[in-house]
Amino acid sequence: MRNEVKVGILSLVTIVVSVFGYKYLKGSNILERSNTYYIRFGDIGQMDASAPVLIRGFKIGSVTKINLDPENADLILVTIEVNREINLPKNTKAILVSQGLMGGKALVLDYPNICLSDCLPDKSFIPGEIAGMLSSMISKEEINEYAKSVGNEINKILDTSQVNNNSQLAGTVKNIHLILANLAVSTSRINQLLESSTVGVQQSMKNMEAVTGALAKNAEALSNTIRNMDKITAGIAESEPGKMIKMADQTFEESKKALQQITTTVEASKQSITQLNQALSDINNSKGSLGKLINDPALYQNLTKTSKNLDLLLQDLRLNPRRYIHVSVFGKNGRPYEKPITDPADH
């Protein structure tokens, strides 16, 4: 046998084994004949494409494909393959259940009776349902039985004869009665508090209505105020607040320097006023030349007298200029002085 034939046979065997293994890993056996069914769900809860298909816990097939329903984008179309030996009745339902808290999903086919004739044909649609986690893990019969047993135990606990025979239970029941009585009293007090606070609540609601009414009436004024504030802020933003602040800082510094100069001037003025006061005090106390000059009466009299004599001299000079000025054009002697008849000095 040539090498090409051997390679071809080996390749064919490899392909067959790979296809068989892939189908086997997906949960289907290509050696078994199966029927294909379709199920629609609104949500499959992250079910895998190889999830098992069960009847009363027995695996009869697997999920082979999961796609969006081409006819309705809100639904999921699940394709399953079931062993052809299993005859499903037309009223079969497919229930999506959880296999445990950490387990995956599975499809349980539920039907009331075994199909003997007119069974569900191949490539048919099966209605789907989704079971809750609790109902998936516990059957309805187990839940009913557990609820029945719990109810019986509660009835035994609440039975009067059982309570009387058990002192601890009697004490517990008594405490329960006390708690219920306290709850009734507390409820009554709460009702009283609510009734007493109803007036205050109503008044608060009236005040709130008055406030909201005032706001509604002044809504236009508030809107105008807000618009004005917007204009003011916009004007401030356009006027470059940085430059304004810098100019204000410069003005403040200049004002500070001017105040310092004014303070210096005021201090100098204070010193000048102090010195002036001191000089006036010295003058009043006849200290210094000016003080003695002002406060000496003899000096005043002498000055008065001198002033009078100066006045007489000027008057005499005006009336008798020849007494004081001799003008000789041709070298003649001037006339002798003649005392006036009315001499002002005599008066």
Side-chain angles (χ1 to χ4, degrees):
M1 185 180 295
R2 292 187 301 177
N3 292 331
E4 291 81 358
V5 177
K6 292 180 181 180
V7 172
I9 295 173
L10 181 60
S11 300
L12 181 60
V13 172
T14 302
I15 293 172
V16 172
V17 171
S18 299
V19 172
F20 180 79
Y22 175 74
K23 290 289 186 179
Y24 181 78
L25 291 175
K26 290 187 65 177
S28 61
N29 190 351
I30 60 176
L31 299 178
E32 294 181 356
R33 300 171 64 189
S34 60
N35 291 333
T36 301
Y37 301 100
Y38 305 102
I39 310 165
R40 291 188 177 96
F41 290 103
D43 188 352
I44 60 173
Q46 298 181 352
M47 181 177 64
D48 297 328
S50 59
V53 178
L54 309 175
I55 294 180
R56 296 177 180 82
F58 177 70
K59 183 178 179 181
I60 60 169
S62 62
V63 177
T64 58
K65 188 184 297 183
I66 299 176
N67 294 318
L68 291 175
D69 190 356
E71 298 180 359
N72 189 349
D74 295 332
L75 298 178
I76 304 296
L77 182 62
V78 178
T79 304
I80 64 173
E81 290 185 357
V82 178
N83 191 348
R84 187 169 292 183
E85 296 178 356
I86 305 297
N87 295 322
L88 299 177
K90 292 185 177 181
N91 56 356
T92 302
K93 295 184 297 182
I95 303 174
L96 179 62
V97 299
S98 299
Q99 292 183 302
L101 294 175
M102 302 298 293
K105 301 290 184 178
L107 284 176
V108 176
L109 299 181
D110 185 23
Y111 49 87
N113 300 315
I114 299 174
C115 179
L116 299 177
S117 61
D118 193 17
C119 297
L120 190 67
D122 186 21
K123 299 186 184 302
S124 299
F125 280 89
I126 300 175
E129 296 180 0
I130 300 176
M133 182 175 293
L134 183 61
S135 60
S136 300
M137 299 173 62
I138 304 174
S139 62
K140 294 182 180 179
E141 291 78 8
E142 292 177 348
I143 294 175
N144 293 330
E145 184 177 356
Y146 180 75
K148 185 177 180 180
S149 62
V150 171
N152 292 331
E153 293 296 328
I154 292 174
N155 290 330
K156 289 181 181 180
I157 292 174
L158 297 178
D159 189 5
T160 305
S161 60
Q162 296 292 334
V163 171
N164 294 330
N165 293 331
N166 192 337
S167 59
Q168 294 180 353
L169 184 60
T172 302
V173 173
K174 184 177 179 180
N175 292 331
I176 292 173
H177 286 301
L178 291 174
I179 292 171
L180 293 175
N182 293 330
L183 287 175
V185 174
S186 300
T187 305
S188 177
R189 291 179 179 177
I190 291 172
N191 290 331
Q192 293 177 359
L193 290 174
L194 291 175
E195 290 177 357
S196 62
S197 62
T198 301
V199 178
V201 173
Q202 292 177 353
Q203 186 64 35
S204 299
M205 293 299 294
K206 291 180 180 179
N207 294 333
M208 289 295 293
E209 290 178 357
V211 171
T212 53
L215 290 174
K217 291 180 180 179
N218 298 321
E220 185 175 358
L222 290 174
S223 299
N224 293 330
T225 303
I226 292 172
R227 283 194 292 268
N228 293 332
M229 290 297 294
D230 291 337
K231 291 180 180 178
I232 291 171
T233 53
I236 292 173
E238 292 177 355
S239 61
E240 297 182 359
K243 292 184 178 178
M244 294 179 65
I245 293 172
K246 187 175 181 181
M247 294 175 62
D249 291 338
Q250 293 178 355
T251 305
F252 178 76
E253 291 296 332
E254 293 176 356
S255 301
K256 187 176 180 181
K257 292 179 180 179
L259 288 175
Q260 291 177 354
Q261 294 177 357
I262 292 172
T263 303
T264 304
T265 305
V266 170
E267 293 294 332
S269 300
K270 286 182 178 179
Q271 294 178 1
S272 301
I273 292 172
T274 302
Q275 293 176 358
L276 181 60
N277 290 331
Q278 185 66 33
L280 292 175
S281 177
D282 293 340
I283 292 172
N284 290 329
N285 294 327
S286 299
K287 293 181 180 180
S289 301
L290 184 60
K292 293 178 180 180
L293 181 63
I294 292 175
N295 296 317
D296 190 0
L299 179 62
Y300 172 74
Q301 293 175 1
N302 292 330
L303 289 174
T304 303
K305 194 172 185 178
T306 302
S307 177
K308 183 178 180 181
N309 292 329
L310 181 60
D311 186 27
L312 293 174
L313 177 62
L314 294 174
Q315 187 176 7
D316 184 64
L317 178 62
R318 181 177 62 82
L319 296 175
N320 303 296
R322 295 178 180 178
R323 182 186 297 180
Y324 305 98
I325 301 172
H326 299 280
V327 179
S328 177
V329 179
F330 300 103
K332 294 182 179 181
N333 292 328
R335 294 177 61 186
Y337 171 75
E338 294 180 0
K339 184 178 180 180
I341 298 174
T342 57
D343 190 356
D346 295 337
H347 296 287

